[in-house]
Amino acid sequence: QSTWGGYSRMLDSILLFLQNNVPFVLFILFMIYRFYQATRPFKDVSGSKVREVASLAEWTALLESSKAQNKVVVADFYAVWCGPCRTASPHFAQMSLDYPSATFVKVNVDTAKEVAQVNQINAMPTFIVFQSGQKVNQVRGWNQPMLISQIEALGVEKRSDAHPKEQ
């Protein structure tokens, strides 16, 4: 009987703690959810042409190549824990199919820190548009219409059979 009484007192103490600390409990549950969400893979778009840039050497080679070929590069600087980055990911992947003459890349700011530092990234997501290896425009936050207008302003044409502009 004393064992059940101990459990009863412990349960009463836990319930009292939960009742008296609702904001703290909600915060802990939210953090657990965010951790779970960060471990989930990003949504994939079949046939996406987006490639991951993982190092400063790879980044430098990409910009040199775009300079030599006079190409437009659109870079998505993201973090796996960033909600807006997760929202943008499938749309960015679709844009890589809709604008095939541009090169679309993703840079994880947590694993490719040097690339993020070189580009002075301090908010996620940040999208930077380069032409011939030079930064032309930047969009902080997910604003697809603005990003599309910046790409099209550089003469990058949308495939004729591509999806209409998404809002």
Side-chain angles (χ1 to χ4, degrees), residues 75-153:
D76 172 8
F77 291 87
Y78 75 99
V80 295
W81 46 263
C82 166
C85 300
R86 291 183 166 279
T87 300
S89 183
H91 301 286
F92 188 74
Q94 183 60 50
M95 289 170 62
S96 76
L97 298 172
D98 294 346
Y99 297 89
S101 65
T103 301
F104 287 78
V105 298
K106 292 178 78 70
V107 179
N108 183 333
V109 298
D110 292 323
T111 58
K113 291 179 180 176
E114 290 178 317
V115 180
Q117 287 174 341
V118 164
N119 288 284
Q120 299 174 335
I121 303 302
N122 54 23
M124 278 71 66
T126 295
F127 300 88
I128 301 181
V129 181
F130 297 85
Q131 185 171 34
S132 300
Q134 298 297 314
K135 179 179 173 178
V136 177
N137 283 308
Q138 177 174 316
V139 177
R140 291 175 76 187
W142 176 232
N143 185 336
Q144 186 175 14
M146 183 180 290
L147 187 57
I148 287 173
S149 71
Q150 290 182 359
I151 293 167
E152 290 178 348

Side-chain angles (χ1 to χ4, degrees), residues 11-28:
L11 184 58
D12 287 342
S13 295
I14 291 170
L15 290 174
L16 185 62
F17 174 81
L18 293 175
Q19 289 173 345
N20 291 331
N21 297 286
V22 172
F24 176 72
V25 171
L26 291 175
F27 173 75
I28 294 300

Side-chain angles (χ1 to χ4, degrees), residues 94 97-99 148 158-166:
Q94 183 60 50
L97 298 172
D98 294 346
Y99 297 89
I148 287 173
K158 189 173 194 175
R159 272 188 7 228
S160 59
D161 62 337
H163 295 65
K165 285 184 185 177
E166 297 178 41

Side-chain angles (χ1 to χ4, degrees), residues 1-9:
Q1 180 167 354
S2 64
T3 304
W4 287 109
Y7 287 129
S8 177
R9 281 191 303 278

